[in-house]
């Protein structure tokens, strides 16, 4: 006899960034889409033997402006004074100055976009066998699981020029105070084509093995419980020095 559960789920979330017409060929909007597939099986092999299988796979795709994250954009907004500089000058150059070089509008709409492709696989298998033919209340079990994670990052980005025009307060010919344009300071470099880079942003694999014996039996007014088990846990991460294993008995 088999009991099962299956599920397919898809979600798509759009971000809160206002898009501009400076990039008609691509979107710099924050987006998140995800597809999940799950299957659970409970299998009764015999009167004394049961098994279970659980499988879960997830695929994510995230889009962010340039090489900035959503939290990074929020940090820029919180740290930038409201009157630090104009968003954009009449000559088309973005506003910015030393100490506050990150223009949030330019960062979110003019620096290209990055796409993150993430994959997760979770699987576990368990088997339980009653050993009443040896002694009543004795059960053997074995479980194993593996978790796999990987993320690829594709960045198509570019730089931009930002500038700061310092106004000078002076008197005009009639003696009235007026703000005249002073020195213009420019920073950065204007790039018209998107550059491209691709990297493995993250990779992990975890393995668990768990096996042992359980004993539970009642003797009139007394209950006896005993367990013996072995467990192995292994983790492999991205890069050197990220692998470790633990054993318990």
């Amino acid at each position: 006899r088999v009991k099962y559960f299956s599920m397919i789920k898809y979600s798509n979330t759009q971000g809160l960034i206002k898009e501009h017409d400076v990039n008609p060929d691509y979107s710099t909007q924050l987006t998140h889409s995800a597809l999940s597939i799950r299957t659970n099986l409970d299998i009764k092999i015999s009167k004394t033997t049961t098994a279970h299988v659980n499988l879960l796979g997830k695929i994510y795709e995230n889009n962010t402006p340039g090489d900035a994250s959503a939290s990074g954009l929020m940090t820029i907004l919180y740290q930038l004074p409201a009157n630090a500089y104009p968003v954009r000058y009449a000559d088309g150059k973005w506003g910015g100055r030393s100490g506050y070089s990150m223009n949030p509008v330019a960062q979110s709409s003019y620096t290209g976009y990055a796409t993150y492709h993430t994959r997760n696989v979770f699987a576990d298998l368990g088997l339980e066998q009653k050993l009443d033919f040896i002694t009543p209340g004795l059960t053997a079990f074995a479980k194993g699981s593996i978790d796999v994670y990987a993320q690829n990052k594709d960045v198509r980005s570019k730089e931009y020029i930002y500038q700061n025009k310092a106004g000078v307060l002076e008197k005009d010919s009639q003696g009235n105070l007026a703000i005249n344009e002073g020195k213009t300071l420019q920073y950065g470099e204007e790039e018209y084509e998107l550059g491209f880079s691709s990297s493995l942003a993250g990779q992990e694999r975890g393995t668990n093995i768990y096996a042992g014996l359980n004993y539970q039996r009642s003797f009139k007014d007394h209950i006896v419980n005993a367990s013996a088990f072995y467990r192995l846990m292994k983790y492999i991460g991205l890069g050197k020095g990220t692998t470790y294993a633990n054993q318990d008995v």
Side-chain angles (χ1 to χ4, degrees):
R1 188 177 64 179
V2 177
K3 294 190 295 182
Y4 67 91
F5 169 80
S6 296
M7 180 193 72
I8 298 178
K9 179 183 177 181
Y10 174 77
S11 63
N12 184 278
T13 306
Q14 299 292 320
L16 47 75
I17 296 176
K18 181 179 180 180
E19 295 193 85
H20 300 265
D21 56 0
V22 294
N23 303 306
D25 298 328
Y26 56 87
S27 173
T28 60
Q29 182 61 270
L30 290 166
T31 62
H32 173 80
S33 58
L35 175 66
S36 301
I37 301 176
R38 173 187 287 276
T39 298
N40 297 342
L41 299 174
D42 290 328
I43 307 169
K44 189 169 185 179
I45 301 174
S46 67
K47 293 182 178 180
T48 59
T49 309
T50 58
H52 72 264
V53 179
N54 299 316
L55 301 173
L56 173 62
K58 296 182 178 182
I59 300 175
Y60 304 95
E61 183 175 284
N62 294 337
N63 192 81
T64 64
D67 197 12
S69 62
S71 59
L73 289 175
M74 293 299 107
T75 300
I76 295 173
L77 290 173
Y78 277 116
Q79 294 179 347
L80 181 67
N83 61 346
Y85 45 74
V87 174
R88 203 170 191 178
Y89 289 95
D91 60 2
K93 298 294 190 298
W94 296 100
R97 63 183 177 87
S98 177
Y100 297 105
S101 60
M102 295 293 187
N103 185 316
V105 178
Q107 288 294 122
S108 63
S109 64
Y110 203 69
T111 58
Y113 64 100
T115 305
Y116 298 80
H117 304 276
T118 308
R119 298 171 298 279
N120 288 99
V121 176
F122 307 92
D124 65 84
L125 170 67
L127 185 67
E128 184 173 304
Q129 175 68 55
K130 294 182 178 181
L131 301 176
D132 291 336
F133 62 91
I134 297 177
T135 182
L138 184 64
T139 303
F141 64 89
K143 300 178 181 180
S145 68
I146 183 170
D147 305 333
V148 180
Y149 160 83
Q151 184 181 78
N152 293 90
K153 178 182 179 181
D154 297 333
V155 180
R156 295 170 176 85
S157 61
K158 63 179 181 177
E159 299 293 328
Y160 62 92
I161 290 178
Y162 60 95
Q163 66 183 16
N164 180 36
K165 293 185 177 182
V168 178
L169 187 63
E170 297 177 333
K171 289 185 178 181
D172 59 17
S173 58
Q174 298 178 355
N176 298 319
L177 290 176
I179 298 178
N180 297 321
E181 185 175 311
K183 187 177 180 181
T184 298
L185 300 176
Q186 288 192 346
Y187 310 87
E189 180 182 354
E190 189 71 28
E191 294 182 342
Y192 298 96
E193 298 293 332
L194 292 176
F196 176 75
S197 66
S198 182
S199 62
L200 180 61
Q203 181 174 277
E204 298 176 2
R205 184 173 78 239
T207 305
N208 287 274
I209 297 174
Y210 187 57
L213 297 170
N214 284 328
Y215 179 71
Q216 181 175 355
R217 190 172 178 183
S218 299
F219 298 93
K220 295 183 179 180
D221 296 332
H222 304 281
I223 299 176
V224 178
N225 287 292
S227 295
F229 67 87
Y230 168 81
R231 182 176 65 180
L232 170 65
M233 182 180 69
K234 187 175 183 179
Y235 171 85
I236 302 175
L238 179 63
K240 297 181 180 180
T242 60
T243 300
Y244 62 86
N246 294 328
Q247 296 185 79
D248 298 313
V249 177

